Amino acid sequence: AAGTFHSMCVRFLRRDIDKIGYEKSFTIYDTADQQTVIKECIKELNVDDKNYPPKKVMSIISNAKDKLIGANEYSDGLQSDYYLKTVGDIYKLYQRKLKSNNALDFDDLICLTVRLFEENPDVLDYYQNRYKYILVDEYQDTNHAQYRLISLLARKHKNLCVVGDDDQSIYKFRQAMPELFLDKY
């Protein structure tokens, strides 16, 4: 099977997301949907959207998810940073709203697949046996969450081939880590 990280994760989650407390009929929110929910969170928490522009908050949350930092974990140790603590509060409410709407955002697709695999060794084993050989193209644009996903899938058979050019990384703004390609991670 071929696909992007996100499309493959949708397949995995449609089959097994119920094992981590979500319904298989989940909806995937696009950027406009995300922004609407973030705005609701900002309003509910009585936060000034001038100081916390929804797009900036979305970007901070996305960066945290790219590093596999969940909403509860994000706020740990931020008591002295009021701005980021407030973003953490928005993040927590945002995730609660997504879950109550049976919705995932684009970043959740990878984060929740990693969680599914880590918490359910039988599910991971199934996919490790199904995908004995893994090829990742444009590897220089891989972020931490994607790296973790690949590591889990490839761990059993160790048949991973990556293709890319560290000089052509175009997703640093999305937390791409070309140093993974150079084995400096």
Side-chain angles (χ1 to χ4, degrees):
T4 64
F5 282 108
H6 294 93
S7 68
M8 295 298 292
C9 287
V10 169
R11 288 185 216 170
F12 303 151
L13 293 172
R14 288 279 181 222
R15 183 177 179 270
D16 290 303
I17 197 169
D18 57 320
K19 291 178 174 62
I20 55 172
Y22 288 80
E23 295 176 30
K24 291 182 181 183
S25 60
F26 62 85
T27 303
I28 301 170
Y29 278 4
D30 64 15
T31 304
D33 298 324
Q34 285 178 265
Q35 193 163 357
T36 299
V37 177
I38 292 287
K39 286 178 182 178
E40 288 173 14
C41 294
I42 288 170
K43 186 174 182 178
E44 276 183 45
L45 293 170
N46 294 315
V47 172
D48 182 1
D49 63 357
K50 303 280 187 275
N51 293 329
Y52 296 86
K55 284 185 180 181
K56 181 176 182 183
V57 172
M58 282 173 49
S59 176
I60 293 170
I61 291 171
S62 180
N63 288 342
K65 288 182 180 187
D66 285 345
K67 295 174 186 163
L68 296 174
I69 300 170
N72 292 328
E73 183 185 3
Y74 181 83
S75 295
D76 291 348
L78 290 178
Q79 289 75 14
S80 62
D81 188 324
Y82 181 79
Y83 188 88
L84 292 180
K85 183 183 177 319
T86 301
V87 170
D89 293 341
I90 296 167
Y91 186 5
K92 285 179 191 172
L93 182 57
Y94 172 71
Q95 286 305 120
R96 283 197 304 271
K97 285 181 174 286
L98 287 181
K99 182 125 191 231
S100 69
N101 292 336
N102 195 34
L104 310 179
D105 65 22
F106 215 52
D107 297 311
D108 286 331
L109 296 174
I110 295 174
C111 293
L112 291 178
T113 300
V114 169
R115 180 177 154 202
L116 172 68
F117 288 168
E118 289 178 341
E119 293 179 9
N120 297 275
D122 57 320
V123 174
L124 175 59
D125 188 61
Y126 171 82
Y127 287 111
Q128 286 173 332
N129 288 326
R130 183 172 175 136
Y131 301 105
K132 292 179 182 171
Y133 302 94
I134 300 170
L135 168 69
V136 179
D137 194 13
E138 303 296 341
Y139 189 71
Q140 74 275 2
D141 294 326
T142 303
N143 65 32
H144 176 73
Q146 293 163 337
Y147 171 78
R148 183 76 184 122
L149 176 67
I150 296 163
S151 297
L152 287 165
L153 276 174
R155 181 172 46 199
K156 185 174 187 176
H157 297 286
K158 297 179 179 26
N159 286 320
L160 173 64
C161 177
V162 298
V163 179
D165 180 349
D166 64 305
D167 287 333
Q168 293 188 18
S169 183
I170 60 170
Y171 288 111
K172 288 202 177 185
F173 70 95
R174 290 273 315 161
Q175 307 303 309
M177 300 171 60
E179 59 271 20
L180 291 173
F181 193 68
L182 300 172
D183 199 26
K184 293 181 181 174
Y185 183 61

